[in-house]
Amino acid sequence: MRIVPINSFEDYPMTWKPTLNREDRPIYQALAKQLESDIKEGRLVPGTKLPPQRELADYLDVNLSTISKSFKLAELKGLISATIGSGTYVSYDAISNAYLLSEEKPKHLIEMGALLSDRVSYGPLHDLLQSMLQESDCARWFGYSRPGDSIWQKDAGVKLLKYADVETTRENILLANGGQNAVTATLAALCQHGDRIGVDHHTYPGLKTAAAMLGIQLVPIRSETDEMSPEALLYACKNEKIKGLYIIPDYQNPMTYTMSVETRKAIAEIAIKYNLFIIENGMFHLTQDKILPTVATYAPEHTIYVASVSKSMAPGLRLAYVAVPFNFLDAIRKALYNLNIFVSPLFAELAARAIVSSQFENIITLHKEETKARNQLVNHYIDKENCLGGETGMFRWLHLPKHYTGDQFEQIAEAQGVQVYSGGRFTVGNVAPANAVRLAICAPETRMELEKGLIILKKIIEK
């Protein structure tokens, strides 16, 4: 006979009162599943503080460890977030659409959500590919590649990284199928299920999906003067037991800040002191007019530097060069092999030829010219003070009037024919989403299409 708990919760103000079917086993998984369902169905809204674990255990008449395991499972999925000394909350990004690029672009929408580069590089890359296919032995790029086949392509990677002032060697270069692939492999190689890594409080959604898949918890690091705070990182090292750090120092996605040299040095010093690994995503580094020293410059033995060509060359060229310190090299190499087996020989050859020729520098110049022209259009239609971003940035961070939330604005814009992404898609844990939307200004196929979208957004803002 089951013992009835002494406490009565009939009139107790609990924010979540799950029902428990004791035939569902294991119980902690059933509770986590019910929590997920209640969040997705809107019965628990983002920001809701959940009952203390001990009180919930009393209410359900289960062991405290059952509740703890259930909460841990939900936390690793990004559904809830615990704050020391404050409690456990439903994450603000719990019901956000984690996969930002839909399978098919709706025909009526102007795409300003998914982060795509402009198309000015297509002509030069097409010409280079055409010349490659005229060679008598071009069929070799459609076969199976072996590690030794990529030696000169790694040399091209060394040259590319020199553009970004990253000093590395051929032996430290690994090839990946794009930046997202490189980040996922690095997390899989260096983290275990349940590990914690520090990130900006609004961060690249691809990192969020990779971490959720691997059971890695993201710990938001607060900002100070519009960039990651070294003091907050230091606090996280001491109190949050973080194992690593993920950063985009140049034109951070989505908040657009570029990290100061002083902050780069401070973060590197903290990583060295607390033995953190750093994943430095350099996706926008080469498109900057002023190239600052990388964090890898100051913490070379702790930093994995990811240089994807999807933003600097073309989005369909799925290739990234990863500069890896020797102490991480074997683990990340194995993870990449297990995820990929090998990188497309055709992509690797095309990117390498573009880099060693003058085409790469030409393509970067073309991108900058197009992006500057598009940013001038944005400044013409949207108040620059509320729409953050530099003249070579592929996206802007639009702070909204108080009468809109980011989600509301995204829905209204979509209804009127423009796709943008709200701040809630980028939030981490229990951080309140910025009242903002990201505008991917290079995603529209033409400047005319971009201008049409900006006119629609301007009218919505002014209502």
Side-chain angles (χ1 to χ4, degrees), residues 440-457:
I441 66 169
C442 288
E445 293 188 12
T446 64
R447 293 182 202 175
M448 186 180 296
E449 186 182 25
L450 170 63
E451 188 170 20
K452 182 180 177 182
L454 291 170
I455 291 170
I456 294 171
L457 296 178

Side-chain angles (χ1 to χ4, degrees), residues 83 88 105 140 157-158 164 168 172 231 256 281 291 362 410:
T83 302
T88 303
K105 174 190 169 184
R140 70 184 188 276
V158 172
T168 189
N172 292 87
E231 290 76 17
T256 76
N281 196 328
I291 294 181
N362 178 46
E410 178 180 326

Side-chain angles (χ1 to χ4, degrees), residues 118 120 285-291 362-375 391-392:
D118 56 63
V120 296
H285 196 179
L286 292 172
T287 60
Q288 301 271 54
D289 270 340
K290 182 181 179 182
I291 294 181
N362 178 46
I363 287 170
I364 290 291
T365 300
L366 289 173
H367 278 314
K368 286 182 178 179
E369 290 174 354
E370 178 65 22
T371 306
K372 287 178 181 179
R374 290 182 179 231
N375 274 295
E391 62 177 3
T392 61

Side-chain angles (χ1 to χ4, degrees), residues 39 45-49 74-83 87-96 196-205 207-209 211-212 216-222 240 423-434:
I39 291 170
V45 299
T48 301
K49 185 176 182 180
E75 191 173 24
L76 290 173
K77 286 186 174 184
L79 298 172
I80 62 175
S81 181
T83 302
T88 303
Y89 296 80
V90 177
S91 298
Y92 279 97
D93 61 342
I95 56 176
S96 293
R196 300 156 69 87
I197 65 168
V199 298
D200 281 289
H201 51 80
H202 287 67
T203 195
Y204 168 52
L207 174 72
K208 293 169 59 176
T209 59
I216 296 167
Q217 186 176 348
L218 302 182
V219 176
I221 309 297
R222 67 174 172 82
E240 300 281 3
R425 293 177 179 264
F426 305 92
T427 55
V428 177
N430 62 355
V431 172

